[in-house]
Amino acid sequence: MRAVLQRVSKASVTVDGKVVSSIQKGLLVLLGIEDADGQEDIDWLTNKIVNLRIFNDENNIMNHSVTDVDGGIIVVSQFTLHAQTKKGNRPSYIKAAQPDVAIPMYEKFVQVLEQKLGKKVGTGIFGADMKVELLNDGPVTITIDTKTKE
């Protein structure tokens, strides 16, 4: 699994002109799933997301997690995070999981994240043409890959 975490002041996802998710302070998580991903990836990544200390404390030092600041989270499926660009100019998405694998994995990821966060997590709509708006706070953007633990 690959994730791009963006610390946001606000974020929303719109599909067909309708806002399907919105948060104020928190994290926008773009999530890429590949065939090799499993429960271990879900558990490790959700734990990392809720505990990563990337929110400022009273001394303006990144020392608080999303749970510490009672922040929200939106998770958007993003198969393009597994783009391979080594050859040519057209990315290959061969490593990205197909919908029959990715959808249940995405839903399980959101479910586990909600349990660890202790509240509802916003989502996009899998496979839809989504418009994602955000106000990146910092900016703080972090990439994580469960296969390399980076």
Side-chain angles (χ1 to χ4, degrees), residues 63-129:
N63 203 28
H64 289 307
S65 69
V66 68
T67 54
D68 293 334
V69 299
D70 194 31
I73 298 178
I74 295 177
V75 180
V76 175
S77 177
Q78 182 92 38
F79 76 93
T80 59
L81 291 179
H82 287 290
Q84 294 178 344
T85 59
K86 188 175 182 178
K87 294 181 182 178
N89 293 317
R90 183 175 182 181
S92 169
Y93 303 105
I94 194 94
K95 280 193 165 188
Q98 294 298 310
D100 62 321
V101 172
I103 292 171
M105 187 79 64
Y106 173 75
E107 291 171 349
K108 181 68 173 172
F109 180 89
V110 171
Q111 178 186 28
V112 171
L113 190 57
E114 286 177 338
Q115 291 169 352
K116 291 181 179 180
L117 186 63
K119 63 181 170 181
K120 182 97 172 108
V121 169
T123 63
I125 297 177
F126 194 96
D129 180 20

Side-chain angles (χ1 to χ4, degrees), residues 3-81:
V4 174
L5 282 60
Q6 296 183 75
R7 186 178 77 179
V8 298
S9 297
K10 63 180 178 178
S12 65
V13 179
T14 302
V15 176
D16 294 329
K18 180 183 175 199
V19 175
V20 296
S21 291
S22 67
I23 59 169
Q24 293 299 311
K25 183 178 195 172
L27 296 172
L28 173 66
V29 178
L30 305 176
L31 181 68
I33 299 168
E34 64 181 355
D35 287 327
D37 292 331
Q39 188 64 46
E40 182 180 324
D41 297 283
I42 291 172
D43 293 338
W44 185 85
L45 185 54
T46 54
N47 192 56
K48 182 63 76 173
I49 289 170
V50 298
N51 292 301
L52 199 62
R53 298 184 324 177
I54 58 172
F55 290 87
N56 293 348
D57 64 13
E58 59 281 352
N59 296 316
N60 211 27
I61 296 171
M62 284 194 267
N63 203 28
H64 289 307
S65 69
V66 68
T67 54
D68 293 334
V69 299
D70 194 31
I73 298 178
I74 295 177
V75 180
V76 175
S77 177
Q78 182 92 38
F79 76 93
T80 59
L81 291 179

